[in-house]
Amino acid sequence: MRLWNFKYIISLIVILTVIAYAEAIDICPKYVSCQSGGGMGAVSIGTGWKYGGHCQWETELFAGLVPKYDSGSTKVSFALKENFIPWRIRLTRKLSLAPLTTSIYFTTLLCDRVWIRLPPRYPHGYYKLPTKIRANISLGQRIMWSLPMTSCVVESISLYYEIGTCDIYVLSAAGNKNIKPHDLLQLCIGVRIDFKR
C-alpha cells in the first residue's frame, strides 16, 4: 500500500472517530459547509459548531483537495477555523444577511514535501516560516435563507464569500514593490447547511 493511501485512510478514521465521539457526548456539529478556495484547496468540506449569546462565534474543521497543478500529486489539506459574526440583519421573514464575517484559521497539507523545521539542505534562515502551517485571516459576508418549520432537519441554507490573505503572502510583500495588493488576496466562495438544534 502506498504511503499516501495509508495517510488518507488514517485521516478518514480520525474524522469518523471525532464525529462518533461528538455524538456520544452531545456536541454534534451544527452545520456543514462546502467551499472553493480560501487557501484550503480547489474544494473543501467542513463542519462546525456555533456558540455565544447570539451564536456569533463559530469553530470549524475543514478537509480539502489541492490538485497537483505543477507538483507530482494531489494533496489533502486540513484547516481549523474560528469565525466571529458581530451582527445579522433580517431582510425578510426568511432571508437574513451577515454583513461582516471575520475569520482566523490555520491550514496544513498532508504531504511530505512541506515541513515544520527547516531541512538541512537549506542554509539557516533561508525560509522565514515553516511551509507546513499557514496562518490566514479573512473578511466576508453571508446571506442565509431560513427553511419553513416543516423541514425536519435543515434550519437554513447560506451562501458566503470571504476575501483574505495568509502569513507567507504578507511576508513576501514586505519590501517587494513588484507584488500588487491583489496578489496578496485569496477568495473563497461557499455554501453552508445549518441543522436544527
Side-chain angles (χ1 to χ4, degrees), residues 2-111:
R2 292 183 179 173
L3 183 59
W4 63 270
N5 282 340
F6 181 72
K7 288 179 180 177
Y8 291 154
I9 291 168
I10 293 297
S11 299
L12 182 60
I13 290 170
V14 168
I15 290 168
L16 292 175
T17 303
V18 167
I19 291 170
Y21 181 72
E23 288 180 2
I25 62 172
D26 197 26
I27 54 166
C28 292
K30 305 301 182 196
Y31 56 87
V32 293
S33 299
C34 181
Q35 68 179 44
S36 179
M40 296 183 204
V43 65
S44 56
I45 297 173
T47 189
W49 298 263
K50 304 184 275 189
Y51 48 93
H54 300 284
C55 293
Q56 71 266 49
W57 292 98
E58 299 171 347
T59 300
E60 301 178 323
L61 296 171
F62 276 90
L65 287 176
V66 181
K68 62 182 180 180
Y69 296 120
D70 59 353
S71 66
S73 63
T74 300
K75 297 168 193 64
V76 174
S77 70
F78 291 101
L80 173 62
K81 187 175 182 186
E82 186 68 20
N83 303 326
F84 177 66
I85 301 92
W87 68 90
R88 292 172 177 85
I89 300 169
R90 183 167 293 281
L91 302 175
T92 68
R93 193 167 57 86
K94 293 185 179 179
L95 281 179
S96 298
L97 173 70
L100 175 66
T101 62
T102 61
S103 304
I104 181 168
Y105 56 103
F106 297 91
T107 57
T108 187
L109 285 176
L110 192 61
C111 174

